[in-house]
RNA sequence: GGCGCGAUGGCCGAGUGGUUAGGCAGGGGACUGCAAAUCCUCUCACUCCGGUUCAAUUCCGGAUCGCGCCUCCA
């Protein structure tokens, strides 16, 4: 399997530290609001990555952090007049609900920042002892960036050329250098009751330190993959490297850094003022499903900017309906036929499956993988129409779809079964048609449509299909 | 100013030094009592200007346009 490593800016062969076992850390949500679809692009990318790794036979241990203490969560909880914990609990729950609706596999572990304050303090003490950090007058602790050789390497930034401009906020006036970043923030009024004791006085952790502390604790001082959106490259991931390697002396902290591109909406960055800001919940209210959204997120390569539009969402729905239709045809042909060995699969099943796997192993090329899926659909439909498909072959094709869906997670969908009343009406219509009573037949067809069923007349009689929006 | 990304047919979106990406939409056909759905099938492309090459959408240079990062946004 090949993956693009941000650190080297190259596609590399993936080799885990421990054979057969992948340890990966994925930067999770800051739980101060409902996540938007741009956020979910990252979680989707990570889901596809872990699914493909598993499909290739690796055991995966994925750790995704929950940032439940930072400026935004503190501000939000104070505005809402509730405790930080109560405030973030609500959005943690919403986050997991959303993941489920997108059919994103759960990570093995979801550590929360507030549960790892002692580990962060230990890490900061190590950095202080190593001379990588210093205490400022107000009791905050900063990372002394110039002591870490190679700082800026991940982001390809030359820190020497950094302009000392006015982006330094006022509460950071006592840093030695503008590039230095906070490991520990001394308490101030805005923090309210959000405070922990530390060897340097009361305060709270900086943002970056949590990921170093939690990844080291749960994955070790050196692990395989670390992911996030490209906006995390700098400063967050750059700082993580400096903190982790600075504290442990272990290099490399991470072997493969992987980042997904932005999601834009109608060609523009998502923003509330443009009215193109969408949470997952907004889309559900408009009648779209997690499956529709998931398909759209799969339709572009993860490193490319993805243009999210409602036209794409509608297109996703149509495309998935075609796959559903195909699976239905296969199931009828397969009947109860057993899935035999791979050798029994016809070429029109084997070739797309091989192409699918090759595409996914080439740095998760999901658009090409979807093309392989549709090659299977088209070739299979053609074969079915020509009547030359055996039950065993159809079963093999169904198995191929399941194999693909192990990675895509978007194909299988429960189909509602017609109720007794609908079946009775269908039967009545069949009799009306036999009597050439077209008016009555059409009346029943309309009645069925009103109750959510489409009637499909075919060579083998009429069938009911759930009506699509 | 520094670093980096992108420009593909109506829309979305892969890829390749010479041979079909794919999806959606649209046209045609099959099927049907009529429909719908479905299936089959077809049209439409590689921002511009140079260069390398037998051959460039693909490589190199430049231009134009769009976008991102440069201290806490996935």
């Amino acid at each position: 399997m090949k993956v693009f490593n941000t650190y080297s800016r190259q596609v590399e062969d993936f080799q885990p530290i421990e054979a057969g076992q992948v340890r990966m850390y994925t930067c999770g949500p800051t739980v101060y609001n409902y996540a938007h679809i741009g956020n979910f692009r990252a979680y989707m990318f990570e889901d596809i990555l872990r699914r493909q790794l598993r499909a290739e036979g690796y055991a995966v241990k994925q750790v995704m952090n929950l940032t439940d203490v930072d400026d935004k969560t503190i501000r939000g909880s104070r505005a809402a007049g509730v405790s930080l914990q109560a405030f973030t609990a609500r959005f943690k729950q919403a986050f997991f609900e959303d993941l489920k609706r997108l059919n994103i596999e759960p990570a093995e572990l979801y550590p929360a920042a507030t549960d790892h304050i002692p580990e962060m303090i230990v890490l900061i003490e190590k950095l202080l002892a190593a001379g990588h950090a210093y205490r400022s007058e107000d009791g905050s602790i900063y990372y002394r960036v110039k002591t870490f050789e190679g700082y800026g390497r991940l982001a390809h930034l030359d820190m020497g050329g950094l302009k000392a401009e006015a982006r330094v906020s006022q509460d950071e006036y006592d840093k030695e250098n503008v590039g230095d970043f906070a490991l520990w923030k001394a308490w101030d009024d805005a923090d309210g009751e959000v405070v922990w004791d530390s060897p340097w006085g009361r305060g709270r952790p900086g943002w970056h330190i949590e990921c170093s502390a939690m990844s080291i604790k749960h994955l070790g001082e050196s692990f395989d993959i670390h992911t996030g959106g490209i906006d995390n490259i700098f400063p967050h991931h750059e700082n993580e490297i400096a903190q982790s390697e600075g504290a442990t002396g272990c290099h490399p902290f991470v072997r493969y850094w992987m980042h997904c591109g932005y999601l834009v909406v109608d060609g523009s960055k998502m923003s509330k003022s443009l009215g193109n800001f969408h949470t997952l919940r907004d889309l559900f209210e408009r009648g779209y499903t997690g499956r529709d959204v998931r398909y759209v997120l799969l339709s572009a390569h993860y490193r490319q900017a993805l243009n999210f539009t409602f036209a794409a969402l509608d297109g996703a729905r149509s495309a998935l309906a075609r796959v559903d239709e195909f699976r239905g045809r296969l199931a009828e042909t397969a009947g109860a036929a057993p899935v035999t060995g791979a050798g029994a699969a016809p070429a029109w099943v084997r070739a797309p499956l091989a192409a699918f796997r090759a595409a996914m192993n080439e740095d998760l090329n999901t658009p090409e993988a979807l093309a392989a899926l549709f090659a299977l659909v088209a070739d299979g439909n053609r074969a079915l129409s020509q009547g030359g498909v055996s039950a065993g072959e159809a079963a093999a094709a169904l198995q191929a779809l399941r194999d693909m869906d192990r990675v895509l997670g978007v194909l299988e969908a429960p189909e509602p079964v017609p109720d007794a009343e609908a079946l009775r009406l269908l039967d009545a219509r069949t009799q009306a048609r036999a009597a050439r009573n077209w008016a009555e037949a059409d009346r029943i067809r309309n009645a069925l449509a009103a109750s959510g069923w489409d009637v499909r007349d075919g060579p083998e009689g009429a069938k009911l299909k759930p009506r699509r929006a």
Side-chain angles (χ1 to χ4, degrees):
Chain A
M1 184 172 170
K2 290 183 176 175
V3 298
F4 182 87
N5 188 348
T6 304
Y7 199 78
S8 67
R9 309 274 159 138
Q10 284 179 333
V11 176
E12 300 178 5
D13 265 319
F14 176 73
Q15 293 293 343
I17 295 168
E18 191 182 329
Q21 169 73 47
V22 177
R23 286 173 288 157
M24 64 185 275
Y25 187 87
T26 56
C27 282
T30 300
V31 282
Y32 72 107
N33 205 339
Y34 296 111
H36 57 70
I37 51 175
N39 300 126
F40 283 110
R41 187 186 191 195
Y43 309 134
M44 263 295 296
F45 145 61
E46 289 146 5
D47 181 52
I48 293 301
L49 174 60
R50 63 169 285 139
R51 283 169 177 265
Q52 179 60 20
L53 286 166
R54 280 156 57 86
E56 290 300 310
Y58 293 105
V60 174
K61 181 177 182 184
Q62 179 190 2
V63 176
M64 176 181 281
N65 67 295
L66 300 171
T67 299
D68 57 356
V69 54
D70 79 323
D71 291 352
K72 283 176 295 201
T73 45
I74 292 171
R75 208 181 303 134
S77 68
R78 297 199 89 187
V82 297
S83 72
L84 181 69
Q85 194 183 17
F87 180 74
T88 57
R90 187 169 126 212
F91 294 110
K92 283 180 191 173
Q93 192 195 337
F95 175 67
F96 289 119
E97 286 169 7
D98 287 350
L99 289 186
K100 200 163 188 177
R101 292 191 72 170
L102 282 177
N103 198 22
I104 289 175
E105 284 185 356
E108 279 61 35
L109 218 53
Y110 291 99
T114 51
D115 291 332
H116 293 75
I117 305 291
E119 286 86 347
M120 296 187 220
I121 288 175
V122 168
L123 212 53
I124 294 169
E125 286 188 307
K126 282 185 187 171
L127 290 169
L128 280 165
H132 284 306
Y134 59 90
R135 185 178 190 280
S136 72
E137 283 176 29
D138 72 344
S140 293
I141 309 292
Y142 291 100
Y143 194 102
R144 188 179 281 126
V145 163
K146 70 176 182 194
T147 64
F148 188 75
E149 196 181 328
Y151 187 80
R153 175 84 195 277
L154 177 71
H156 289 203
L157 285 175
D158 176 9
M159 300 315 286
L162 191 73
K163 285 186 289 185
E165 48 181 299
R167 293 197 65 161
V168 188
S169 67
Q170 288 178 336
D171 63 355
E172 291 173 335
Y173 61 88
D174 51 358
K175 292 199 291 192
E176 289 179 0
N177 280 295
V178 280
D180 293 349
F181 58 93
L183 296 169
W184 186 263
K185 295 182 168 189
W187 182 88
D188 71 22
D189 290 341
D191 292 342
E193 293 172 10
V194 179
V195 63
W196 287 267
D197 283 318
S198 81
W200 325 286
R202 286 148 48 88
R204 62 182 171 94
W207 174 45
H208 313 292
I209 196 68
E210 67 174 68
C211 285
S212 288
M214 295 192 280
S215 59
I216 290 170
K217 177 177 181 183
H218 298 294
L219 295 172
E221 295 182 350
S222 189
F223 55 93
D224 300 301
I225 302 176
H226 196 312
T227 70
I230 48 170
D231 46 341
N232 275 156
I233 295 172
F234 195 89
H236 186 53
H237 290 163
E238 195 71 61
N239 291 353
E240 273 190 60
I241 294 173
Q243 292 168 338
S244 305
E245 296 189 4
T248 67
C250 184
H251 176 87
F253 167 50
V254 167
R255 307 238 299 188
Y256 302 89
W257 287 94
M258 296 178 70
H259 296 93
C260 68
Y262 279 109
L263 177 142
V264 296
V265 176
D266 295 323
S268 303
K269 192 170 176 175
M270 228 188 317
S271 77
K272 283 180 177 154
S273 57
L274 283 175
N276 65 356
F277 185 96
H278 305 297
T279 64
L280 205 51
R281 278 137 203 268
D282 295 336
L283 301 179
F284 293 155
E285 275 175 28
R286 294 203 194 199
Y288 294 100
T289 64
R291 194 179 178 227
D292 299 331
V293 177
R294 187 174 172 96
Y295 186 93
V296 170
L297 294 177
L298 287 170
S299 68
H301 183 84
Y302 77 91
R303 281 192 283 121
Q304 226 55 49
L306 183 150
N307 189 19
F308 183 91
T309 62
F310 284 95
L313 217 37
D314 293 334
R317 182 172 283 198
S318 300
L320 285 169
R322 185 141 83 93
V323 179
D324 291 343
E325 201 68 40
F326 177 57
R327 199 179 46 243
R329 284 183 88 181
L330 286 175
E332 278 177 29
T333 304
V339 178
T340 47
W348 60 265
V349 171
R350 287 200 313 270
L353 195 55
F356 179 91
R357 189 176 170 214
M360 291 307 298
N361 274 333
E362 193 62 44
D363 193 30
L364 307 177
N365 193 335
T366 51
E368 204 158 289
L370 288 176
L373 163 67
F374 281 98
L376 175 64
V377 172
D379 292 352
N381 268 324
R382 205 172 299 121
L384 285 163
S385 295
Q386 288 163 2
V389 178
S390 70
E393 287 173 336
L398 280 172
Q399 184 57 46
L401 283 177
R402 277 192 291 271
D403 289 346
M404 291 180 178
D405 202 41
R406 219 181 135 193
V407 179
L408 297 178
V410 79
L411 304 182
E412 300 289 345
E415 281 254 307
V417 176
D419 52 87
E421 172 64 8
L423 289 173
R424 193 190 62 75
L425 283 171
L426 183 68
D427 193 51
R429 177 172 172 277
T430 302
Q431 289 181 29
R433 290 183 75 217
R436 306 184 71 80
N437 185 351
W438 308 129
E440 174 66 0
D442 290 350
R443 189 192 67 73
I444 296 173
R445 183 163 66 193
N446 289 335
L448 279 165
S451 63
W453 295 99
D454 275 333
V455 177
R456 298 198 188 175
D457 293 323
E460 286 125 37
K463 280 181 242 167
L464 291 174
K465 286 278 179 179
R467 196 175 176 78
R468 282 197 304 268

